[in-house]
Amino acid sequence: MKLAFIGLGVMGFPMAGHLQQAGHQVCVYNRNSAKAADWVARFGGTSGATPAEAAQGADMVMLCVGNDDDVRSVVYGDEGVLAGMQAGALLVDHTTTSARLAEELAEAAGKRGVRFIDAPVSGGQLGAENGALTVMIGGSEADVAEAAPVLAAYGKKVTRLGPVGAGQRCKMVNQICVIGAVQGIAEGLMIAKKAGLDIPTLIEVLAGGAAQSWQLQNRAQTMAEDQFDFGFAAQWMHKDLGICLDEAAQQGLTLPLTEHVHQVYERLLAEGMGRCDSTVVIRALES
């Protein structure tokens, strides 16, 4: 298929590469044109000077940028993807955004004869590089069925949750569960370190029981070693939890753990740790 991929960050760069390697014709766009040139040099394909140019003639256009405002900046206007997309094409947003934005985009795309699905991903940079992401989708059954074989280039699990917005709401649940595990591991490690337990042995034991999780097996050791120069950035988790709390407010819900960890990230960002891995929450306990 002829595809466009907008946004070549730590996730988008390898995701777009998997599409090109799967045999699709991919045209990319990135705000930093040097990054787009690097991608073309590595994977082939082409790049566009604007999102609209990259999207021209594409059967599907994928977005993977930072937040709601970033999405709007590459979708709307004379240089946005909707200005370049042909009627009948499919717009796929992999950005983690509010569900309200997904519904807004579906309406705006529909006015241009363009179809839309929200498809946030989980698995982090490593999952993107290995083509092993979990893709959570909101959209019509027909649109998701059309997109799924393409998204399988980087998605080991591609699942429709419901209508537009359902993918983003699923991602909210994902992030809440992740930070719950991370906060629990951080607090557990405080006891383990104070008691002088051997951390590798501890992790091995816990991994064989009910405490087992991806976070435990992949991040507990690095948390104990005060290593945070990798992985999903704290600033992005802070953003995602803000989306979760906004959604909860709309639903008349209170999320005490999410509110607490969101405030922890607020402090860590103020202390200059926004680019650290999101497991840096343990530093707030240690201080």
Side-chain angles (χ1 to χ4, degrees):
M1 297 181 72
K2 187 173 182 181
L3 309 174
F5 203 103
I6 313 300
L8 299 176
V10 295
M11 301 290 289
F13 194 97
M15 290 166 71
H18 286 301
L19 292 172
Q20 183 71 19
Q21 291 173 332
H24 300 292
Q25 302 172 49
V26 183
C27 183
V28 300
Y29 168 80
N30 195 68
R31 283 182 297 185
N32 181 343
S33 58
K35 193 72 171 287
D38 289 343
W39 184 90
V40 172
R42 177 171 175 180
F43 295 107
T46 58
S47 65
T50 65
E53 182 179 314
Q56 285 180 356
D59 302 302
M60 293 174 58
V61 177
M62 287 78 164
L63 312 175
C64 191
V65 291
N67 55 37
D68 286 30
D69 289 339
D70 291 331
V71 172
R72 291 187 177 100
S73 74
V74 297
V75 170
Y76 300 140
D78 293 340
E79 295 186 346
V81 294
L82 286 182
M85 293 181 70
Q86 58 192 1
L90 180 59
L91 178 59
V92 180
D93 188 13
H94 287 308
T95 314
T96 297
T97 73
S98 65
R100 284 178 296 173
L101 177 63
E103 293 159 354
E104 171 193 317
L105 292 175
E107 181 178 355
K111 291 177 180 178
R112 301 293 294 260
V114 172
R115 297 168 295 143
F116 174 82
I117 62 175
D118 56 296
V121 300
S122 179
Q125 183 177 349
L126 190 60
E129 292 171 350
N130 292 335
L133 294 170
T134 294
V135 188
M136 316 162 196
I137 308 182
S140 74
E141 291 184 5
D143 291 344
V144 175
E146 179 180 328
V150 179
L151 306 187
Y154 42 73
K156 68 174 181 180
K157 190 172 182 62
V158 180
T159 307
R160 176 180 181 267
L161 278 300
V164 167
Q168 295 296 352
R169 292 185 174 98
C170 179
K171 181 61 183 289
M172 295 174 202
V173 176
N174 182 85
Q175 299 303 71
I176 291 169
C177 292
V178 166
I179 60 98
V182 169
Q183 181 70 10
I185 292 167
E187 294 183 11
L189 285 173
M190 298 300 291
I191 290 179
K193 293 169 75 173
K194 200 74 172 178
L197 297 180
D198 181 73
I199 300 302
T201 303
L202 171 75
I203 294 170
E204 182 181 353
V205 171
L206 296 180
Q212 191 279 332
S213 71
W214 187 97
Q215 299 296 332
L216 176 73
Q217 291 187 301
N218 292 276
R219 292 291 183 262
Q221 187 66 46
T222 54
M223 290 169 73
E225 295 174 354
D226 201 40
Q227 297 179 12
F228 307 106
D229 57 343
F230 55 86
F232 188 67
Q235 67 184 34
W236 295 121
M237 185 61 85
H238 174 262
K239 181 266 292 185
D240 290 356
L241 296 186
I243 291 172
C244 297
L245 292 172
D246 287 344
E247 179 71 19
Q250 293 176 49
Q251 302 289 353
L253 301 172
T254 300
L255 307 178
L257 175 65
T258 306
E259 289 179 359
H260 168 71
V261 180
H262 186 249
Q263 292 170 3
V264 170
Y265 282 123
E266 194 86 42
R267 296 198 302 271
L268 293 170
L269 266 60
E271 295 171 10
M273 288 182 256
R275 294 301 302 167
C276 294
D277 182 81
S278 57
T279 56
V280 75
V281 291
I282 193 172
R283 282 192 178 172
L285 294 173
E286 292 172 335
S287 63

